[in-house]
Amino acid sequence: MDSLITAAGRALAAGDPLGALKRVALRDDAPALALRGIAMAQLGDLDRAKALLKRAARAFSPKEAVARARCILAEAEIALAARDLTWAPQALGGARATLEAHGDRVNAAHARYIEVRRLLLLGRLDEAERRLALLDPAPFPPALLTAHELVVAGLAMRRLKIKTARAALARAQSAALKARIPALAAEVESAARHIDTPAARLITKGKERFLRLDEVEALFASNALVVDACRHAVRDANTVVSLARRPVLFALARALAEAWPEGAPRDRLIARAFGGKHADESHRARLRVEIGRLRQKLRKLAEVSATPQGFALVPHMTPEVVVLARPVEERHAAVLAFLADGESWSSSALALALGASQRSVQRALDQLAEGGKVQFYGHGRARRWMTPPLPGFTTTLLLPAPLPSD
């Protein structure tokens, strides 16, 4: 390998894409194309980066399997940065196996981290944790060690293990300082801000206040009965009852929790659950049926008692009933929360991450665009959606309850 290629590679490793481009910008041989692609990715031109890496992979000879595998690895990282979650993980798995077979342990480990980060975005936390456990970060260089600790922190935040997340972020910050890559240090700082910004609203006895993630963790460990509007569940410290697939039952549970310790009148429950402005006998009959179903679902946590005007929630063991809601109430809050990470998403990637049909997601995006809450660029398959982050609020940490599918 010639000296310019070596120097460009070192510049990229140090987070200096412009320095790398100065050395290889006018070259079209395979190593130069690969380095140019990585440099363009670091500069944010992901489409150009992807095209350069594809050219590089084709330009390497069949005998240069490691170089081709590294190109596939770079393409996968670009796809992840572009929130293109539909790329085939099998290709990355094959590249990782090639790198491991040829002794490139650092890049093989990097491939595993990309796999774990994709699983994290998809909400597949158990699988992400299993794959992360296969990696021993001790021998890694500082940049890769930073990536490891960021993944550990991301999993811990989504599991609401905030002490673990803070410790991982402290280790990530230390590793990022040793790596001397400004973009990496900025990523650690951005992740750390999520812990100390509001993640949810607590509603109890007609009053509201914002909670940070550590306060949400403490709430879930307390004696309170929590109607969780972030995950569409009812829970105490020991039991979780999911109502994510039963929106009518959850609407009733939330209305009863918001009225606690008083009861909720029938007209209010009908309006919240069925959207009926004027309750008639058919609405009341349906309400009785749904209340019976809710009693059955919540039998381990609480009783739903009839009152002269309606119904009341009576917890079995806990002294308090609260509602945990998203910081901002919005019909399509789950879509907005993913877009609020500041990255651009395709509708197919959002559908995959939300576990919803693409038609449902596209309809939600169109409605949000009409209200000026999201914007798009590109056309057809290349269309991407984005929105500026909501100032002062976390984004996807408490997500999501699935969207209804068509």
Side-chain angles (χ1 to χ4, degrees):
M1 186 177 294
D2 63 55
S3 60
L4 285 178
I5 293 294
T6 301
R10 287 174 178 169
L12 287 176
D16 181 16
L18 293 177
L21 285 174
K22 286 179 182 178
R23 294 168 172 84
V24 296
L26 299 179
R27 294 176 52 166
D28 285 328
D29 53 296
L33 288 171
L35 292 171
R36 284 168 57 192
I38 296 171
M40 296 307 295
Q42 290 187 8
L43 291 170
D45 190 346
L46 302 184
D47 291 337
R48 179 64 176 159
K50 188 187 301 184
L52 286 166
L53 286 164
K54 286 184 180 297
R55 285 179 60 192
R58 290 194 297 267
F60 282 114
S61 71
K63 295 182 180 180
E64 297 174 293
V66 172
R68 285 188 168 187
R70 289 172 180 168
C71 288
I72 293 171
L73 171 60
E75 285 187 65
E77 187 166 19
I78 289 169
L80 189 69
R83 296 302 187 261
D84 178 9
L85 305 182
T86 58
W87 52 270
Q90 295 85 353
L92 181 59
R96 173 174 50 76
T98 298
L99 294 168
E100 288 173 344
H102 288 80
D104 189 348
R105 299 183 182 278
V106 171
N107 278 316
H110 188 45
R112 285 195 182 274
Y113 284 122
I114 292 174
E115 293 171 339
V116 172
R117 287 165 60 197
R118 178 177 181 271
L119 292 170
L120 198 58
L121 280 175
L122 292 173
R124 291 158 61 177
L125 304 186
D126 292 339
E127 187 175 353
E129 286 179 336
R130 285 195 297 270
R131 296 201 183 191
L132 186 64
L134 299 175
L135 289 163
D136 176 13
F140 294 161
L144 197 56
L145 184 59
T146 305
H148 174 88
E149 298 299 348
L150 282 172
V151 171
V152 172
L155 280 165
M157 283 190 278
R158 285 159 177 79
R159 295 290 196 192
L160 289 177
K161 298 177 179 178
I162 306 308
K163 186 176 180 180
T164 300
R166 288 188 188 278
L169 287 172
R171 294 191 298 270
Q173 186 177 38
S174 176
L177 289 174
K178 293 178 182 177
R180 297 181 180 180
I181 300 176
L184 203 56
E187 187 176 356
V188 175
E189 291 177 7
S190 176
R193 283 196 296 271
H194 285 310
I195 293 182
D196 295 317
T197 52
R201 284 182 301 131
L202 182 71
I203 305 171
T204 180
K205 298 180 181 178
K207 299 179 180 180
E208 297 185 12
R209 68 181 179 92
F210 289 112
L211 298 183
R212 300 186 307 272
L213 281 172
D214 53 353
E215 294 173 313
V216 175
E217 181 184 20
L219 176 66
F220 285 172
S222 72
N223 291 326
L225 180 67
V226 181
V227 177
D228 184 354
C230 299
R231 293 184 174 91
H232 288 193
V234 181
R235 62 193 303 155
D236 63 12
N238 302 310
T239 305
V240 179
V241 176
S242 175
L243 298 177
R245 300 292 183 181
R246 305 297 296 271
V248 170
L249 297 190
F250 182 78
L252 290 173
R254 178 168 178 173
L256 290 168
E258 289 176 352
W260 184 89
E262 307 298 329
R266 289 177 177 83
D267 289 353
R268 186 190 306 170
L269 292 171
I270 288 170
R272 291 286 293 273
F274 313 133
K277 295 182 179 180
H278 304 288
D280 56 25
E281 191 54 40
S282 65
H283 285 116
R284 294 188 183 93
R286 185 180 175 192
L287 177 63
R288 289 193 295 270
V289 171
E290 298 297 344
I291 287 290
R293 291 171 176 163
L294 184 62
R295 282 195 184 107
Q296 181 66 19
K297 283 284 187 180
L298 300 185
R299 64 188 183 279
K300 295 181 179 179
L301 298 173
E303 185 67 40
V304 181
S305 300
T307 67
Q309 291 77 33
F311 297 91
L313 193 62
V314 182
H316 291 324
M317 303 293 292
T318 61
E320 186 178 14
V321 176
V322 301
V323 174
L324 187 73
R326 291 188 174 97
V328 179
E329 294 284 3
E330 157 67 46
R331 180 183 175 189
H332 303 300
V335 175
L336 272 179
F338 275 103
L339 292 175
D341 67 357
E343 303 293 343
S344 58
W345 289 70
S346 66
S347 59
S348 58
L350 283 168
L352 191 60
L354 287 163
S357 71
Q358 190 168 350
R359 180 181 175 185
S360 295
V361 171
Q362 188 62 56
R363 185 166 57 245
L365 289 168
D366 290 340
Q367 292 173 1
L368 289 168
E370 289 175 4
K373 297 176 181 178
V374 301
Q375 58 190 13
F376 66 86
Y377 64 89
H379 301 280
R381 292 178 179 270
R383 176 167 291 186
R384 295 293 183 270
W385 297 84
M386 64 186 302
T387 184
L390 290 171
F393 296 108
T394 58
T395 54
T396 60
L397 300 178
L398 292 176
L399 282 180
L403 290 178
S405 299
D406 292 324

